[in-house]
PDB file of all heavy atoms in Angstrom:
ATOM      1  N   ARG C  20       3.569   9.810  24.124  1.00  0.00           N
ATOM      2  CA  ARG C  20       2.910   8.589  24.535  1.00  0.00           C
ATOM      3  C   ARG C  20       1.564   8.497  23.846  1.00  0.00           C
ATOM      4  O   ARG C  20       0.914   9.520  23.556  1.00  0.00           O
ATOM      5  CB  ARG C  20       2.731   8.604  26.088  1.00  0.00           C
ATOM      6  CG  ARG C  20       4.039   8.462  26.780  1.00  0.00           C
ATOM      7  CD  ARG C  20       3.934   8.262  28.277  1.00  0.00           C
ATOM      8  NE  ARG C  20       3.475   6.915  28.507  1.00  0.00           N
ATOM      9  CZ  ARG C  20       3.167   6.457  29.746  1.00  0.00           C
ATOM     10  NH1 ARG C  20       3.270   7.283  30.771  1.00  0.00           N
ATOM     11  NH2 ARG C  20       2.776   5.266  29.969  1.00  0.00           N
ATOM     12  N   LEU C  21       1.150   7.322  23.642  1.00  0.00           N
ATOM     13  CA  LEU C  21      -0.128   7.008  22.936  1.00  0.00           C
ATOM     14  C   LEU C  21      -1.085   6.449  23.998  1.00  0.00           C
ATOM     15  O   LEU C  21      -0.786   5.555  24.787  1.00  0.00           O
ATOM     16  CB  LEU C  21       0.084   5.910  21.833  1.00  0.00           C
ATOM     17  CG  LEU C  21       1.066   6.370  20.739  1.00  0.00           C
ATOM     18  CD1 LEU C  21       1.376   5.157  19.848  1.00  0.00           C
ATOM     19  CD2 LEU C  21       0.495   7.472  19.918  1.00  0.00           C
ATOM     20  N   TYR C  22      -2.297   7.014  23.944  1.00  0.00           N
ATOM     21  CA  TYR C  22      -3.349   6.689  24.960  1.00  0.00           C
ATOM     22  C   TYR C  22      -4.583   6.135  24.157  1.00  0.00           C
ATOM     23  O   TYR C  22      -5.181   6.814  23.376  1.00  0.00           O
ATOM     24  CB  TYR C  22      -3.741   7.853  25.789  1.00  0.00           C
ATOM     25  CG  TYR C  22      -4.743   7.617  26.865  1.00  0.00           C
ATOM     26  CD1 TYR C  22      -4.282   7.005  28.051  1.00  0.00           C
ATOM     27  CD2 TYR C  22      -6.044   7.888  26.746  1.00  0.00           C
ATOM     28  CE1 TYR C  22      -5.189   6.691  29.107  1.00  0.00           C
ATOM     29  CE2 TYR C  22      -6.953   7.662  27.767  1.00  0.00           C
ATOM     30  CZ  TYR C  22      -6.505   7.066  28.929  1.00  0.00           C
ATOM     31  OH  TYR C  22      -7.423   6.757  29.895  1.00  0.00           O
ATOM     32  N   ASP C  23      -4.958   4.863  24.454  1.00  0.00           N
ATOM     33  CA  ASP C  23      -6.121   4.235  23.906  1.00  0.00           C
ATOM     34  C   ASP C  23      -7.344   4.551  24.668  1.00  0.00           C
ATOM     35  O   ASP C  23      -7.439   4.241  25.879  1.00  0.00           O
ATOM     36  CB  ASP C  23      -5.914   2.714  23.849  1.00  0.00           C
ATOM     37  CG  ASP C  23      -6.994   1.956  23.094  1.00  0.00           C
ATOM     38  OD1 ASP C  23      -8.085   2.564  22.892  1.00  0.00           O
ATOM     39  OD2 ASP C  23      -6.762   0.821  22.752  1.00  0.00           O
ATOM     40  N   THR C  24      -8.257   5.328  24.070  1.00  0.00           N
ATOM     41  CA  THR C  24      -9.370   5.806  24.848  1.00  0.00           C
ATOM     42  C   THR C  24     -10.443   4.668  25.114  1.00  0.00           C
ATOM     43  O   THR C  24     -11.242   4.803  25.993  1.00  0.00           O
ATOM     44  CB  THR C  24     -10.111   6.943  24.099  1.00  0.00           C
ATOM     45  OG1 THR C  24     -10.503   6.489  22.803  1.00  0.00           O
ATOM     46  CG2 THR C  24      -9.183   8.185  23.952  1.00  0.00           C
ATOM     47  N   ARG C  25     -10.413   3.622  24.321  1.00  0.00           N
ATOM     48  CA  ARG C  25     -11.267   2.492  24.543  1.00  0.00           C
ATOM     49  C   ARG C  25     -10.903   1.677  25.772  1.00  0.00           C
ATOM     50  O   ARG C  25     -11.737   1.313  26.586  1.00  0.00           O
ATOM     51  CB  ARG C  25     -11.355   1.573  23.327  1.00  0.00           C
ATOM     52  CG  ARG C  25     -12.385   0.469  23.517  1.00  0.00           C
ATOM     53  CD  ARG C  25     -12.496  -0.424  22.310  1.00  0.00           C
ATOM     54  NE  ARG C  25     -13.146   0.325  21.220  1.00  0.00           N
ATOM     55  CZ  ARG C  25     -13.187  -0.101  19.959  1.00  0.00           C
ATOM     56  NH1 ARG C  25     -12.744  -1.304  19.709  1.00  0.00           N
ATOM     57  NH2 ARG C  25     -13.726   0.664  19.042  1.00  0.00           N
ATOM     58  N   THR C  26      -9.630   1.460  25.956  1.00  0.00           N
ATOM     59  CA  THR C  26      -9.168   0.659  27.096  1.00  0.00           C
ATOM     60  C   THR C  26      -8.670   1.502  28.271  1.00  0.00           C
ATOM     61  O   THR C  26      -8.316   0.973  29.303  1.00  0.00           O
ATOM     62  CB  THR C  26      -7.960  -0.290  26.672  1.00  0.00           C
ATOM     63  OG1 THR C  26      -6.852   0.511  26.249  1.00  0.00           O
ATOM     64  CG2 THR C  26      -8.400  -1.252  25.561  1.00  0.00           C
ATOM     65  N   SER C  27      -8.654   2.803  28.041  1.00  0.00           N
ATOM     66  CA  SER C  27      -8.181   3.797  29.055  1.00  0.00           C
ATOM     67  C   SER C  27      -6.761   3.383  29.579  1.00  0.00           C
ATOM     68  O   SER C  27      -6.513   3.303  30.796  1.00  0.00           O
ATOM     69  CB  SER C  27      -9.114   3.842  30.276  1.00  0.00           C
ATOM     70  OG  SER C  27     -10.419   4.326  29.779  1.00  0.00           O
ATOM     71  N   ALA C  28      -5.915   3.176  28.596  1.00  0.00           N
ATOM     72  CA  ALA C  28      -4.531   2.741  28.907  1.00  0.00           C
ATOM     73  C   ALA C  28      -3.575   3.277  27.883  1.00  0.00           C
ATOM     74  O   ALA C  28      -3.932   3.475  26.726  1.00  0.00           O
ATOM     75  CB  ALA C  28      -4.459   1.235  29.016  1.00  0.00           C
ATOM     76  N   TYR C  29      -2.350   3.502  28.310  1.00  0.00           N
ATOM     77  CA  TYR C  29      -1.259   3.875  27.372  1.00  0.00           C
ATOM     78  C   TYR C  29      -0.896   2.571  26.576  1.00  0.00           C
ATOM     79  O   TYR C  29      -0.911   1.476  27.106  1.00  0.00           O
ATOM     80  CB  TYR C  29      -0.047   4.385  28.098  1.00  0.00           C
ATOM     81  CG  TYR C  29      -0.298   5.789  28.666  1.00  0.00           C
ATOM     82  CD1 TYR C  29      -0.556   6.043  29.950  1.00  0.00           C
ATOM     83  CD2 TYR C  29      -0.243   6.905  27.745  1.00  0.00           C
ATOM     84  CE1 TYR C  29      -0.891   7.329  30.463  1.00  0.00           C
ATOM     85  CE2 TYR C  29      -0.485   8.184  28.225  1.00  0.00           C
ATOM     86  CZ  TYR C  29      -0.775   8.382  29.557  1.00  0.00           C
ATOM     87  OH  TYR C  29      -1.005   9.678  30.030  1.00  0.00           O
ATOM     88  N   VAL C  30      -0.606   2.842  25.278  1.00  0.00           N
ATOM     89  CA  VAL C  30      -0.227   1.729  24.404  1.00  0.00           C
ATOM     90  C   VAL C  30       1.069   2.097  23.680  1.00  0.00           C
ATOM     91  O   VAL C  30       1.521   3.250  23.702  1.00  0.00           O
ATOM     92  CB  VAL C  30      -1.341   1.480  23.354  1.00  0.00           C
ATOM     93  CG1 VAL C  30      -2.559   0.970  23.949  1.00  0.00           C
ATOM     94  CG2 VAL C  30      -1.606   2.708  22.523  1.00  0.00           C
ATOM     95  N   THR C  31       1.723   1.083  23.139  1.00  0.00           N
ATOM     96  CA  THR C  31       2.977   1.240  22.392  1.00  0.00           C
ATOM     97  C   THR C  31       2.709   1.157  20.903  1.00  0.00           C
ATOM     98  O   THR C  31       1.648   0.730  20.485  1.00  0.00           O
ATOM     99  CB  THR C  31       3.983   0.206  22.834  1.00  0.00           C
ATOM    100  OG1 THR C  31       3.477  -1.102  22.485  1.00  0.00           O
ATOM    101  CG2 THR C  31       4.237   0.256  24.324  1.00  0.00           C
ATOM    102  N   LEU C  32       3.781   1.406  20.149  1.00  0.00           N
ATOM    103  CA  LEU C  32       3.616   1.138  18.673  1.00  0.00           C
ATOM    104  C   LEU C  32       3.392  -0.298  18.355  1.00  0.00           C
ATOM    105  O   LEU C  32       2.663  -0.667  17.416  1.00  0.00           O
ATOM    106  CB  LEU C  32       4.888   1.615  17.936  1.00  0.00           C
ATOM    107  CG  LEU C  32       5.042   3.083  17.670  1.00  0.00           C
ATOM    108  CD1 LEU C  32       6.405   3.371  16.967  1.00  0.00           C
ATOM    109  CD2 LEU C  32       3.954   3.679  16.896  1.00  0.00           C
ATOM    110  N   ALA C  33       3.928  -1.232  19.150  1.00  0.00           N
ATOM    111  CA  ALA C  33       3.750  -2.635  18.971  1.00  0.00           C
ATOM    112  C   ALA C  33       2.230  -2.929  19.251  1.00  0.00           C
ATOM    113  O   ALA C  33       1.667  -3.780  18.484  1.00  0.00           O
ATOM    114  CB  ALA C  33       4.538  -3.461  20.018  1.00  0.00           C
ATOM    115  N   ASP C  34       1.567  -2.283  20.191  1.00  0.00           N
ATOM    116  CA  ASP C  34       0.097  -2.472  20.397  1.00  0.00           C
ATOM    117  C   ASP C  34      -0.636  -1.925  19.155  1.00  0.00           C
ATOM    118  O   ASP C  34      -1.650  -2.550  18.720  1.00  0.00           O
ATOM    119  CB  ASP C  34      -0.347  -1.747  21.645  1.00  0.00           C
ATOM    120  CG  ASP C  34       0.263  -2.293  22.877  1.00  0.00           C
ATOM    121  OD1 ASP C  34       0.511  -3.496  22.948  1.00  0.00           O
ATOM    122  OD2 ASP C  34       0.585  -1.467  23.783  1.00  0.00           O
ATOM    123  N   VAL C  35      -0.217  -0.799  18.647  1.00  0.00           N
ATOM    124  CA  VAL C  35      -0.916  -0.219  17.440  1.00  0.00           C
ATOM    125  C   VAL C  35      -0.748  -1.204  16.229  1.00  0.00           C
ATOM    126  O   VAL C  35      -1.670  -1.420  15.481  1.00  0.00           O
ATOM    127  CB  VAL C  35      -0.432   1.185  17.179  1.00  0.00           C
ATOM    128  CG1 VAL C  35      -1.059   1.739  15.858  1.00  0.00           C
ATOM    129  CG2 VAL C  35      -0.738   2.093  18.302  1.00  0.00           C
TER     130      VAL C  35
END
Side-chain angles (χ1 to χ4, degrees):
R20 292 188 73 186
L21 300 169
Y22 184 78
D23 186 342
T24 58
R25 184 176 292 170
T26 61
S27 299
Y29 286 101
V30 294
T31 64
L32 280 180
D34 297 322
V35 176

